[in-house]
Amino acid sequence: MNRIDHSADAVSAMITAGVDKGAPSTKLPPGQWMKKNLFNNWYNSAITVVMGALIVALLVGVVQWIANTDFAIIRKSLRLFMIGQYPRDELTRLWVSFLLMAATLGFTSGATAHNAYEDALEKELPAERPTWLGLLRRFWAIVAILVFFVSFARTLPPYLGLAAVFVTLVVTRELGWRLPRAVRDRAPFIGTGLGITSFLAIAGTGGLGRWAIGILFAAWTVFEIGRRDVPSDHRGTAIRAGAALVVGGIAFFIVHALGIEGYGWDDWGGLHLNIFVTVVGLGLGLPFGILLALGRRSELPIIKAASVLFIEFVRGVPLISLLLFSNLMLGLFFPLGSELPSELTLAMIVIMGFSAAYIAEIVRGGLQSVPKGQIEAAQASGLSPGAVQRLVVLPQALRNVIPAMVGQFISLFKDTSLLSIIGVIEILNVSAIANAQTEFIGKGLAVVTYPFVALAFWAFAYTMSKESRRLETKLGVGTR
Amino acid sequence: MNRRTVNTWGQTLGLAAVVMTVIILMGTFNVVTMALALLVAAVVFFVLRAALDLTGRDRSDRPPAYRDVKVIALGAQIFAVAALHTFLAYLWQNFKDRTDDIGLNLSFDFLDQPGGITIADNPLSANDQVNEAIRAGFENTIRIIILGIPLALVVGTLVGIARLSSNWLLQKIATLYVEAFRNIPVLVVILIAWSVYLNALPPANEGSRKPLGGWFIFNNSRFSFPSIKGLDNWEAYRGLMLVALLIAIGVWIWRTYVFNETGTPHRRTLWSIGTFVGIGAVLFVAFGGPFEVSKPFVDESGRIYTDGLRMQMPFAAIFTGLVVYTATHISEIVRGSILAVHKGQDEAANALALSGIQRYRFVILPQALRIAFPPLINQFLNFTKNSSLAIAIGFAEVTAVINNLFGQSQPAPQLILILMLSYLVLSLILSVIGNLINRRLQLVGR
């Protein structure tokens, strides 16, 4: 794109700069820099002038608008935007849950980062220890938006709560980094356990939570049995698996016996609900998605046809039509006389199926990216068809699709806004509710609330998409 | 045992699988029959196998039945069919029970009944049939797609090129635009467009904004644009202009032929547009003006609109929102595929002293298009599906119409089926067209 500059100075500058295209331009004095980057020919000069005028006009307009707008509606409805109609006197629970969520994120990211760092050192690849400043640079948007949101609050607790969340993040990340490798290797399970606990803190121990704990520990047991990287005899395996099972059993019965009443997700709302629906939709969609992808690649015609039919059907229709289906029709498929789940639960079933179909296509891409030689080599070493998939193909395929999966997370997160159409009180619907309050109705404040909602979505989606691009370069997807 | 016998075996088993499937699908089904089916399949297999053994063939190279890949495959399929069928039959039974219970009629007769809904700017009345209402909604969906996709493509391409511009300011602005709107849900983008239009424009009854001497009228219920209004001879003129279009295409082909044969510059675009406009002008004079430009008009109360072309506010909002959102994604695709064109191509074009625009027009974009096309089809499909979000702001496209029909207590299951099928058909048509074009674009050979 850059015109080749034939002047001797520029050529020598390029040579001395190691033909680094970006570097010389930053070191130019302002006059030359402007000449090179803004006014290098007649049409670029014209564009610069027009765009400059445009951006100045836009900035002036925005500043004027902000100065003349009353943000009372945000201040009044801040709690509604963040957590919906969650009972007011139970806020402690919510904070505990947020702290546990922060602990989940902190611990998992610390442990996985240290593992990645060690692996890179071992393979003598360039490894960088992540610094706090670097992390802040990566996640500045979320931090800034959270601080911005809290700044609307007129009371102290939100500030303290947010500070506590940040402190927990820092402490648990350090902890995750410092723990021994054996613990760090099991970070996904520990993290998921913390996450489920954070869910239980709000939802109580009566509902689905204890089953989630049970399933988690069952999965952990299977994982311990299947571990091939630790040389151990049958006794060692049995001890590890037994330990996981016993701990899981105890946890299950503790949770069962505690019997704390809670607030199911029908009482949740706001941004909290958006994030929750995304995490659960993707988490539950993942196993089904992987199964569908394997089914689509299967050589058995019936299984293949069923998978293709499901995937193509779900991908061919808009999410709205699926949500309308959940709202108006899904209840008809439950046995006559049984009590129907809430609208949100029905919607979550549909969202799970929706994300499974999209994940299936992502995973299929990953499966196709595994070279055929890998499968042939695995078969030649006598692995059974199941073991070929489990031990050779899937680990490589799933590693390749991590960035795409983050992309799917973003798009599912954005799609949760559609729940507002079927009446779920998530953040976008809150803006409609806020506008319908008697003191704000008919004042045309949608122009204030919608950008506010947009900002919430933007901060998370932007950070995640940057992360996805970072992971892409880090994992070297598409360059191998 | 030679290869041929193995294949015969496989075919026998395959046949057995098909027969079993048919048996399972035809009968009423439960766990007992599922177990029975598995048992029958096993028996069939072992009998066939024993029959083969009796013929005295060598069995030393065959694995035991439980490890025979064909047996496992067959078992897996029978199991899958049985499980799927059991599950679906269970759901269907529940569905029947529930619909019987509330007395829901599952026939499609309601399509001929009065729909009871009206659509803005559409002659549809409340007495018109349901199927006419749905068709009107579908036409509105197509309207969004036909207007929106080309515009999104143009905007997206320009922004994609702008992000690679050597102009620092332009590049930054384009990046800002993409990063801002790509990460906001499309529904929120549409709603923002809607609320901005509603707030920035005066209500229709308080006087509209009329820029450019009243040729355009903007208020917060409709946008009006000038259009062409046909007079008496309009039909005949339009028919002849169609002929003129064909002649123009002929001229295009002729110029291409001349260029291929003699190498003289073809200038076919200039030639064919010239032909078309020339014939049009001659005919215009000959007919004594078959059409006039119609200036939009709105009365004081803001209710009566005449002349010009009108666009409802919700349409304008969803159109703006979808184009702004989709263009960001298209620009990413365009940028990526331009970067994917080998750098040597650009350098070679530069060495041939092509100008910036020429390099893009003749060297880079044609090659980038080949890379960009498959993901672009995907974006077009997304655009189509996202057009269903009009339901949130009340533009009567097919989803909103069907949602309104629920409100008129029309049966939900059939309507949802129609809704999903209409999008599936749209998706199918778009992807078939896309794949046909894609096949022409791809490099042949090697």
Side-chain angles (χ1 to χ4, degrees):
Chain A
M1 255 40 67
N2 294 326
R3 225 165 235 285
I4 293 173
D5 197 338
H6 293 285
S7 72
D9 285 352
V11 172
S12 66
M14 271 168 89
I15 291 166
T16 47
V19 204
D20 187 357
K21 269 179 152 183
S25 63
T26 53
K27 281 170 195 160
L28 290 174
Q32 278 182 39
W33 182 89
M34 274 172 74
K35 188 163 164 41
K36 179 161 182 278
N37 291 311
L38 295 177
F39 302 101
N40 60 355
N41 55 31
W42 67 267
Y43 60 80
N44 266 340
S45 309
I47 290 172
T48 306
V49 171
V50 171
M51 284 291 151
L54 201 74
I55 203 128
V56 167
L58 207 68
L59 271 179
V60 168
V62 168
V63 167
Q64 268 180 353
W65 179 76
I66 289 178
N68 293 330
T69 308
D70 185 13
F71 290 92
I73 186 166
I74 306 286
R75 229 172 1 251
K76 287 261 167 61
S77 328
L78 185 67
R79 186 204 303 269
L80 211 55
F81 274 111
M82 294 298 112
I83 55 171
Q85 290 168 324
Y86 188 82
R88 238 188 136 119
D89 44 354
E90 290 284 345
L91 283 177
T92 352
R93 249 172 213 249
L94 212 54
W95 281 116
V96 170
S97 167
F98 288 160
L99 292 183
L100 280 164
M101 227 187 282
T104 311
L105 285 177
F107 177 78
T108 324
S109 72
T112 43
H114 196 176
N115 283 356
Y117 176 68
E118 274 188 2
D119 290 347
L121 281 187
E122 204 172 297
K123 289 178 192 157
E124 292 176 354
L125 291 168
E128 266 179 65
R129 270 187 90 124
T131 56
W132 286 108
L133 199 66
L135 281 176
L136 193 65
R137 201 172 290 146
R138 269 161 62 190
F139 295 99
W140 67 267
I142 292 181
V143 174
I145 286 294
L146 287 180
V147 171
F148 175 67
F149 284 173
V150 164
S151 70
F152 277 104
R154 288 268 168 93
T155 51
L156 195 60
Y159 293 97
L160 290 179
L162 192 65
V165 165
F166 286 139
V167 169
T168 316
L169 259 176
V170 171
V171 170
T172 49
R173 200 189 139 88
E174 266 314 297
L175 194 73
W177 183 277
R178 273 151 208 255
L179 282 171
R181 178 81 199 214
V183 181
R184 276 186 273 126
D185 275 346
R186 291 162 176 85
F189 293 104
I190 301 171
T192 314
L194 278 170
I196 294 173
T197 321
S198 114
F199 169 77
L200 292 180
I202 314 179
T205 55
L208 290 170
R210 61 170 195 265
W211 291 108
I213 292 256
I215 292 169
L216 170 72
F217 279 95
W220 192 341
T221 314
V222 172
F223 168 78
E224 290 294 349
I225 294 170
R227 269 183 84 111
R228 305 275 161 118
D229 52 339
V230 198
S232 66
D233 50 5
H234 287 294
R235 222 175 110 237
T237 309
I239 291 172
R240 286 204 317 269
L245 206 59
V246 167
V247 172
I250 293 171
F252 182 87
F253 282 108
I254 288 178
V255 169
H256 189 78
L258 276 178
I260 301 170
E261 290 287 309
Y263 295 90
W265 55 62
D266 299 330
D267 296 322
W268 302 7
L271 185 60
H272 180 214
L273 187 64
N274 288 69
I275 295 172
F276 174 76
V277 169
T278 313
V279 171
V280 170
L282 205 75
L284 293 182
L286 189 64
F288 288 108
I290 293 174
L291 283 183
L292 280 172
L294 290 175
R296 194 171 184 163
R297 297 242 307 167
S298 160
E299 283 166 4
L300 310 178
I302 294 168
I303 293 173
K304 182 174 178 175
S307 310
V308 170
L309 207 66
F310 179 82
I311 295 171
E312 292 303 330
F313 177 78
V314 171
R315 283 163 48 90
V317 300
L319 180 55
I320 274 294
S321 67
L322 292 170
L323 289 175
L324 287 177
F325 170 85
S326 91
N327 204 15
L328 297 161
M329 246 183 104
L330 192 56
L332 293 174
F333 291 100
F334 284 80
L336 186 63
S338 65
E339 199 188 330
L340 285 185
S342 68
E343 264 173 26
L344 181 58
T345 313
L346 291 174
M348 274 180 35
I349 294 173
V350 161
I351 284 180
M352 193 191 78
F354 174 80
S355 61
Y358 282 82
I359 289 171
E361 284 299 274
I362 293 173
V363 173
R364 185 166 74 115
L367 290 172
Q368 279 170 352
S369 75
V370 177
K372 209 156 178 258
Q374 293 280 329
I375 302 169
E376 285 163 355
Q379 283 169 340
S381 41
L383 293 181
S384 73
V388 172
Q389 294 295 335
R390 202 177 67 243
L391 300 174
V392 179
V393 180
L394 273 181
Q396 299 187 51
L398 291 182
R399 183 178 162 276
N400 284 350
V401 299
I402 292 172
M405 216 65 104
V406 178
Q408 180 58 30
F409 186 91
I410 301 168
S411 89
L412 188 61
F413 178 60
K414 291 193 291 178
D415 280 342
T416 55
S417 61
L418 302 197
L419 286 170
S420 62
I421 291 174
I422 60 164
V424 173
I425 304 176
E426 48 71 71
I427 187 166
L428 183 58
N429 207 0
V430 168
S431 66
I433 295 171
N435 279 312
Q437 292 172 103
T438 39
E439 49 188 315
F440 301 118
I441 196 161
K443 287 189 180 166
L445 287 173
V447 242
V448 183
T449 52
Y450 287 139
F452 179 78
V453 170
L455 217 54
F457 278 108
W458 180 84
F460 287 91
Y462 172 72
T463 310
M464 297 293 280
S465 77
K466 268 204 318 191
E467 278 304 285
S468 140
R469 258 172 283 163
R470 206 183 68 91
L471 278 170
E472 218 165 288
T473 29
K474 205 174 154 195
L475 294 173
V477 175
T479 54
R480 282 180 310 155
Chain B
M1 184 152 129
N2 59 31
R3 189 110 201 123
R4 185 169 283 276
T5 15
V6 175
N7 287 341
T8 326
W9 256 111
Q11 281 151 12
T12 318
L13 289 174
L15 191 69
V18 172
V19 171
M20 290 307 304
T21 317
V22 172
I23 293 172
I24 292 165
L25 288 176
M26 279 174 68
T28 48
F29 199 73
N30 55 32
V31 183
V32 181
T33 35
M34 184 164 82
L36 219 66
L38 281 171
L39 198 70
V40 171
V43 169
V44 167
F45 175 75
F46 279 107
V47 167
L48 284 174
R49 207 176 141 110
L52 192 80
D53 287 343
L54 281 180
T55 56
R57 289 183 203 255
D58 179 24
R59 53 184 295 189
S60 55
D61 59 343
R62 224 168 23 188
Y66 63 90
R67 296 193 62 171
D68 192 324
V69 172
K70 289 210 168 65
V71 178
I72 296 170
L74 177 65
Q77 299 217 54
I78 290 176
F79 180 76
V81 170
L84 204 64
H85 182 259
T86 313
F87 183 59
L88 293 179
Y90 171 75
L91 291 183
W92 180 245
Q93 191 57 48
N94 289 341
F95 182 67
K96 287 297 273 186
D97 290 348
R98 288 242 178 202
T99 46
D100 283 349
D101 189 44
I102 54 176
L104 195 68
N105 186 356
L106 289 180
S107 75
F108 282 84
D109 297 338
F110 72 97
L111 287 176
D112 301 329
Q113 306 296 319
I117 61 166
T118 52
I119 294 175
D121 287 353
N122 194 302
L124 197 78
S125 79
N127 286 328
D128 283 331
Q129 293 172 355
V130 170
N131 62 34
E132 287 173 44
I134 293 176
R135 196 179 308 145
F138 199 66
E139 278 164 12
N140 274 344
T141 300
I142 305 241
R143 221 163 264 159
I144 302 178
I145 296 171
I146 286 183
L147 283 177
I149 287 182
L151 188 63
L153 186 62
V154 170
V155 175
T157 310
L158 290 180
V159 174
I161 294 171
R163 282 197 72 182
L164 296 168
S165 161
S166 58
N167 186 320
W168 181 86
L169 189 65
L170 185 64
Q171 193 192 331
K172 289 295 171 225
I173 290 177
T175 310
L176 189 73
Y177 160 70
V178 171
E179 289 298 345
F181 284 101
R182 205 167 61 120
N183 293 311
I184 300 176
V186 56
L187 181 56
V188 178
V189 179
I190 292 168
L191 288 173
I192 289 178
W194 192 50
S195 61
V196 166
Y197 284 154
L198 275 181
N199 271 39
L201 296 169
N205 55 1
E206 290 173 15
S208 312
R209 268 195 208 160
K210 297 178 179 172
L212 299 180
W215 282 99
F216 294 84
I217 299 177
F218 297 112
N219 58 43
N220 73 7
S221 74
R222 274 179 186 75
F223 294 171
S224 304
F225 306 96
S227 70
I228 288 171
K229 190 162 88 176
L231 299 176
D232 298 344
N233 294 329
W234 173 240
E235 293 295 325
Y237 182 75
R238 203 167 56 176
L240 284 174
M241 284 317 285
L242 214 65
V243 177
L245 185 70
L246 289 177
I247 294 173
I249 292 172
V251 167
W252 173 287
I253 295 170
W254 167 62
R255 288 310 300 174
T256 315
Y257 172 79
V258 166
F259 170 71
N260 286 341
E261 291 297 307
T262 63
T264 46
H266 52 67
R267 305 201 198 292
R268 52 192 179 193
T269 317
L270 222 58
W271 269 86
S272 41
I273 291 177
T275 315
F276 186 74
V277 172
I279 296 176
V282 170
L283 285 176
F284 189 87
V285 175
F287 273 95
F291 64 83
E292 59 181 22
V293 180
S294 123
K295 189 173 176 176
F297 170 78
V298 60
D299 75 335
E300 288 297 311
S301 70
R303 293 229 182 83
I304 300 158
Y305 292 81
T306 48
D307 296 335
L309 203 65
R310 291 183 292 283
M311 194 190 230
Q312 298 167 50
M313 247 296 298
F315 181 87
I318 186 147
F319 180 70
T320 317
L322 280 179
V323 167
V324 164
Y325 178 81
T326 312
T328 60
H329 288 262
I330 290 179
S331 81
E332 283 294 275
I333 294 170
V334 169
R335 187 176 75 106
S337 43
I338 287 174
L339 287 177
V341 173
H342 198 272
K343 220 175 100 193
Q345 297 283 332
D346 188 38
E347 284 165 2
N350 208 355
L352 290 173
L354 296 186
S355 75
I357 292 169
Q358 281 176 329
R359 268 182 290 155
Y360 266 98
R361 166 71 186 81
F362 295 111
V363 179
I364 297 166
L365 283 185
Q367 297 186 62
L369 180 65
R370 191 174 292 145
I371 306 165
F373 205 75
L376 279 181
I377 299 174
N378 237 338
Q379 283 309 318
F380 298 159
L381 291 175
N382 281 347
F383 189 100
T384 309
K385 287 189 279 174
N386 284 339
S387 70
S388 64
L389 295 176
I391 190 179
I393 53 172
F395 175 64
E397 48 73 72
V398 68
T399 318
V401 165
I402 282 184
N403 196 38
N404 280 350
L405 287 168
F406 297 137
Q408 300 296 321
S409 57
Q410 304 287 357
Q414 292 95 311
L415 281 174
I416 296 232
L417 197 67
I418 292 171
L419 177 64
M420 287 178 167
L421 281 181
S422 52
Y423 279 103
L424 280 179
V425 167
L426 268 182
S427 300
L428 201 68
I429 292 173
L430 266 176
S431 53
V432 164
I433 296 174
N435 284 335
L436 283 178
I437 299 174
N438 193 29
R439 201 173 300 160
R440 285 211 53 182
L441 283 177
Q442 293 311 311
L443 286 173
V444 187
R446 278 195 294 179

